[in-house]
Amino acid sequence: YVLDGIDPGVRWDHWDQSYPGFVREWQPNSQDGLRLVDVSVFTTQLDETVYYAGVYREGSDGHVLSPGLEWPQFFGDWLTRTGQGLRLVDIETWVDGGRRLHLGVYRAGSGASTLDRGNWASFTATWAERSTQGLRLVDIETYVEDGERRYLGSFVQGEGGYIPAPTAFVKE
């Protein structure tokens, strides 16, 4: 759907079925010169069906949508995509059938990038360190695992103004 009254280069799609159904919507959008920039994966309390919603912007660069993978496979996929000149711009994580899955949206890019996860203390320490290296946090996810709040973020090479890791606005 094109959002009336908003940037005409933005399209929002909602697909309420499986990942293959979402990909069936993603492919023609890609062919039409649109690039997925944000995806949300969620379930409802009614039936635990996994739903997908995406936001697209005009673009002609390289791009990949990775499927929901468990962490070891997702991390391996991230390494492969990074080596191909793609940068993770959006990451989602959710539990489906008792397994924590991760989905990634990649866009063409250059320069350093990293992917980090941990509790708040370790994540913000990493965030502060990455900031001094010229890496910018471009997406963050939070979730609870084994009773502990965890954070997962993608960092890519950047420059200019940037707010480094916060120290006080999130309370665990």
Side-chain angles (χ1 to χ4, degrees), residues 86-163:
L86 296 166
R87 299 297 176 259
L88 183 63
V89 297
D90 186 39
I91 186 170
E92 296 296 315
T93 184
W94 71 101
V95 175
D96 188 11
R99 300 179 313 140
R100 176 154 299 281
L101 301 176
H102 305 79
L103 175 144
V105 176
Y106 295 85
R107 301 282 304 267
S110 60
S113 68
T114 190
L115 182 62
D116 290 296
R117 67 182 184 151
N119 63 27
W120 184 246
S122 68
F123 187 79
T124 54
T126 298
W127 186 355
E129 179 184 346
R130 300 291 184 236
S131 295
T132 66
Q133 299 166 348
L135 295 170
R136 304 298 188 244
L137 180 64
V138 296
D139 193 45
I140 186 171
E141 289 298 312
T142 183
Y143 58 97
V144 175
E145 189 171 75
D146 298 327
E148 181 181 18
R149 171 73 49 197
R150 298 186 188 258
Y151 301 85
L152 171 62
S154 178
F155 298 81
V156 299
Q157 191 70 46
E159 55 187 51
Y162 183 69
I163 298 172

